[in-house]
Amino acid sequence: MLHDHIELRQRRDLGDTINIYFDFFKQNLKSFLNIFISYNGIFIIGFLGISYLLVTGFVGMVNGDQLGVTDSAQELESAIYLGFGGIGFVLLFLITAVLNYSLAASYMIQYEKNETPAVEKKKVRALISRNLGKIVVFILLLIVLYIAVFIAGLIISIVPFIGTIVYYIIMLAFTAWMGISFMVMLYENRDVTDALSEGFQLIKANFWKSVLVNLVIGLLLGLLMLLLLMIPGILIGIYTFHSVENGVDLANSAFAKVIWTLALTILLILYSFNQSLAQFVNGILYFSLHEETYNEKTRERIDQIGAGE
């Protein structure tokens, strides 16, 4: 049944892991979306402001180039808009990345521990609050490790074809490692380095399963995002085309700026939501790999059967 609790701590092969992800996604989409919006409300307003700065700055730059104007007050003003918009984007991106990464993991942990489809918003927030220090340290380490892995991957990708494949495999494995280690840290209440070590061991023992799950679901989530963006993208394209055909000055059109600002805001919000959906993948993978390694749930069931007899 759709409204039954989905048992996450269970051994699963590749196909079952992918299937249970989408079962979990369908069952919890509405509940998690409500939590996502409630915790991201202020950041959605922030994305709107940043989008306005970026659009205004970019349009001003383009307009200045078209008019052949250089070293003007307008160009300086546009550069300031772009600069503040870019800085704001980076800061807000990091904050929302930490929040939504944590939000998805905390949601899954509460879902599994309560053994009920209903997840309380307060408990999700409480788990994040208790582990906020470790979460910040983990994200900082993640950034450092990502830079190192990314550089190593670029060097390897110099090798034609095979190097590119190896690069993507490394990045997928790194994504799985970080996602699973994050779950270890919160679910098992371990420190950051211990969680990274445990996550690495789980990934090493189930390398190809971890890589392929992230690859398949990553591609499907990418297609889902494209479909969600397709309708507003087509509408904006049609509006822009007819405006150009009718001689509308888009660079100085207030309505055009509003449309582009809203479009960029929607893009940023969807990207933030996609971060949470991506962490759900490794949450489900973590529970599966953990059970496959330690058999804790299986032993619980055997003990329950023995106690019943």
Side-chain angles (χ1 to χ4, degrees), residues 50 54 81-93:
I50 286 170
L54 291 173
Y81 275 117
L82 276 176
F84 278 109
I87 293 171
F89 169 75
V90 172
L91 292 175
L92 199 58
F93 172 79

Side-chain angles (χ1 to χ4, degrees), residues 47-57 81 257-258 261 264-265:
F47 279 136
L48 189 62
I50 286 170
S51 299
Y52 172 78
L53 291 175
L54 291 173
V55 168
T56 302
Y81 275 117
K257 286 184 181 179
V258 170
T261 298
L264 184 56
T265 302

Side-chain angles (χ1 to χ4, degrees), residues 239-309:
Y239 164 74
T240 303
F241 174 78
H242 283 289
S243 297
V244 172
E245 285 290 306
N246 294 323
V248 176
D249 185 7
L250 291 175
N252 295 307
S253 170
F255 184 71
K257 286 184 181 179
V258 170
I259 293 296
W260 291 334
T261 298
L262 290 176
L264 184 56
T265 302
I266 292 172
L267 175 63
L268 295 176
I269 293 171
L270 285 176
Y271 182 77
S272 296
F273 188 63
N274 189 58
Q275 289 175 322
S276 294
L277 298 184
Q279 178 56 13
F280 279 151
V281 178
N282 291 308
I284 289 173
L285 190 58
Y286 160 71
F287 285 116
S288 175
L289 298 185
H290 188 272
E291 181 62 21
E292 193 168 328
T293 303
Y294 298 106
N295 296 308
E296 290 182 355
K297 190 67 175 181
T298 303
R299 287 200 295 268
E300 285 180 15
R301 288 172 181 153
I302 294 173
D303 291 342
Q304 289 172 358
I305 294 172
E309 295 176 351

Side-chain angles (χ1 to χ4, degrees), residues 11-144:
R11 290 168 171 257
R12 291 188 173 92
D13 59 22
L14 175 64
D16 287 337
T17 304
I18 294 171
N19 287 335
I20 209 66
Y21 171 82
F22 286 104
D23 288 342
F24 183 85
F25 175 79
K26 288 186 292 183
Q27 183 191 83
N28 292 273
L29 177 60
K30 183 178 179 181
S31 174
F32 181 75
L33 189 59
N34 289 333
I35 295 176
F36 176 86
I37 293 173
S38 66
Y39 283 108
N40 282 270
I42 189 171
F43 299 116
I44 291 173
I45 296 173
F47 279 136
L48 189 62
I50 286 170
S51 299
Y52 172 78
L53 291 175
L54 291 173
V55 168
T56 302
F58 179 76
V59 169
M61 285 288 191
V62 172
N63 192 36
D65 290 340
Q66 289 177 343
L67 296 175
V69 180
T70 57
D71 299 324
S72 64
Q74 179 184 350
E75 188 173 277
L76 178 60
E77 182 181 353
S78 298
I80 291 173
Y81 275 117
L82 276 176
F84 278 109
I87 293 171
F89 169 75
V90 172
L91 292 175
L92 199 58
F93 172 79
L94 290 174
I95 293 171
T96 54
V98 172
L99 173 66
N100 294 313
Y101 209 67
S102 307
L103 206 61
S106 181
Y107 183 94
M108 292 198 76
I109 290 169
Q110 296 304 323
Y111 178 93
E112 192 281 330
K113 286 186 174 180
N114 295 334
E115 296 188 352
T116 171
V119 175
E120 294 183 28
K121 186 190 305 182
K122 292 180 179 179
K123 290 184 177 180
V124 172
R125 181 177 61 187
L127 181 60
I128 296 173
S129 299
R130 287 197 305 269
N131 294 275
L132 188 58
K134 290 195 296 185
I135 290 171
V136 172
V137 173
F138 185 95
I139 295 298
L140 291 175
L141 275 176
L142 184 153
I143 293 172
V144 173

Side-chain angles (χ1 to χ4, degrees), residues 214-234:
N214 274 272
L215 173 63
V216 173
I217 298 184
L219 288 173
L220 292 174
L221 286 178
L223 289 174
L224 178 61
M225 290 299 107
L226 285 176
L227 289 174
L228 290 175
L229 292 170
M230 187 176 293
I231 295 176
I234 291 173

